Amino acid sequence: KQEVTQIPAALSVPEGENLVLNCSFTDSAIYNLQWFRQDPGKGLTSLLLIQSSQREQTSGRLNASLDKSSGRSTLYIAASQPGDSATYLCAVGSSASKIIFGSGTRLSIRP
Amino acid sequence: EPEVTQTPSHQVTQMGQEVILRCVPISNHLYFYWYRQILGQKVEFLVSFYNNEISEKSEIFDDQFSVERPDGSNFTLKIRSTKLEDSAMYFCASISSPAATGELFFGEGSRLTVL
């Protein structure tokens, strides 16, 4: 049974810092991995999608990497801004029809 | 930009009542999902739906739950007899690819409050 873990559960850093969020999964036989952002009381916004054959994806200040063999993904945020404050979720496509979420990292960027 | 739309945004109901949550997935998408998120907790998979039938469901998705695609656009989640613990945000999502290699798009959610 696929399990997805995100550490840390919460993170607070000063504005301008680069930071890394971690996601690990127990079953390496995945289709893809997707990173989402969730603002309080809102839906989930897709940030980056990495297919199982890819090692990384980049969008603006965000870079996501995938190491299937070790069951890990990281989301790197460069030059953090207060507007980056949100909960970040990773989701693993563990079968053709099932996508499992981690519990998220609540990120706070201090001005 | 195409989006997943959900109605209602918030529903309050009495315990034991039936509730139907509605979703309009992105029009060319093929796989549809329902997830729920209890306040302060993780996003939990409920069910996936493809080619007019349930593809996979979780242990949460018991006999009280059902899904339907009554026409070419709507995708509904029905809870037959709501319990207090059904109070949560329910999210609909869709993917364009049948092999689930595509990007998952979410609606804004329907908040269900059971009294």
Side-chain angles (χ1 to χ4, degrees):
Chain A
K1 179 186 168 185
Q2 180 73 272
E3 291 182 6
V4 182
T5 304
Q6 290 185 249
I7 293 173
L11 181 64
S12 178
V13 301
E15 181 178 2
E17 277 203 7
N18 303 325
L19 57 99
V20 175
L21 307 180
N22 298 294
C23 172
S24 60
F25 46 95
T26 53
D27 185 349
S28 62
I30 66 170
Y31 282 76
N32 57 33
L33 186 144
Q34 196 167 351
W35 282 93
F36 291 88
R37 169 188 173 130
Q38 186 177 31
D39 292 290
K42 299 289 188 182
L44 283 72
T45 301
S46 177
L47 298 172
L48 289 164
L49 169 70
I50 311 177
Q51 303 294 351
S52 61
S53 58
Q54 297 174 322
R55 296 287 299 214
E56 65 178 336
Q57 283 287 336
T58 298
S59 175
R61 294 183 293 109
L62 305 179
N63 175 276
S65 68
L66 175 63
D67 183 344
K68 265 181 42 174
S69 60
S70 66
R72 287 193 224 169
S73 175
T74 60
L75 178 67
Y76 174 82
I77 302 177
S80 57
Q81 303 169 358
D84 295 331
S85 298
T87 296
Y88 290 80
L89 301 156
C90 71
V92 172
S94 61
S95 75
S97 58
K98 192 170 186 179
I99 299 170
I100 302 297
F101 280 79
S103 50
T105 294
R106 191 170 64 253
L107 178 64
S108 174
I109 307 297
R110 306 189 300 270
Chain B
E1 185 175 314
E3 58 180 15
V4 177
T5 56
Q6 290 187 242
T7 54
S9 56
H10 188 193
Q11 182 157 355
V12 181
T13 190
Q14 295 291 325
M15 192 168 56
Q17 295 296 304
E18 175 182 284
V19 161
I20 297 176
L21 305 178
R22 291 183 168 79
C23 169
V24 179
I26 295 173
S27 63
N28 63 343
H29 282 193
L30 300 172
Y31 259 97
F32 314 119
Y33 300 80
W34 283 102
Y35 286 83
R36 80 172 185 190
Q37 187 177 33
I38 295 169
L39 186 64
Q41 298 186 25
K42 69 190 299 182
V43 176
E44 299 174 291
F45 170 79
L46 291 179
V47 66
S48 58
F49 192 86
Y50 171 67
N51 202 24
N52 284 320
E53 60 183 23
I54 289 175
S55 184
E56 202 159 348
K57 61 183 180 179
S58 72
E59 51 277 5
I60 302 169
F61 194 88
D62 61 21
D63 292 344
Q64 292 298 312
F65 291 90
S66 62
V67 289
E68 195 177 39
R69 189 157 162 81
D71 53 43
S73 58
N74 289 286
F75 178 51
T76 62
L77 174 69
K78 182 193 290 187
I79 309 175
R80 273 181 251 289
S81 177
T82 49
K83 309 184 196 74
L84 294 176
E85 54 265 36
D86 293 328
S87 293
M89 188 77 114
Y90 289 81
F91 292 106
C92 175
S94 66
I95 282 184
S96 60
S97 164
T101 54
E103 189 175 359
L104 188 62
F105 289 89
F106 277 81
E108 285 293 307
S110 292
R111 180 174 300 284
L112 176 65
T113 301
V114 182
L115 303 176

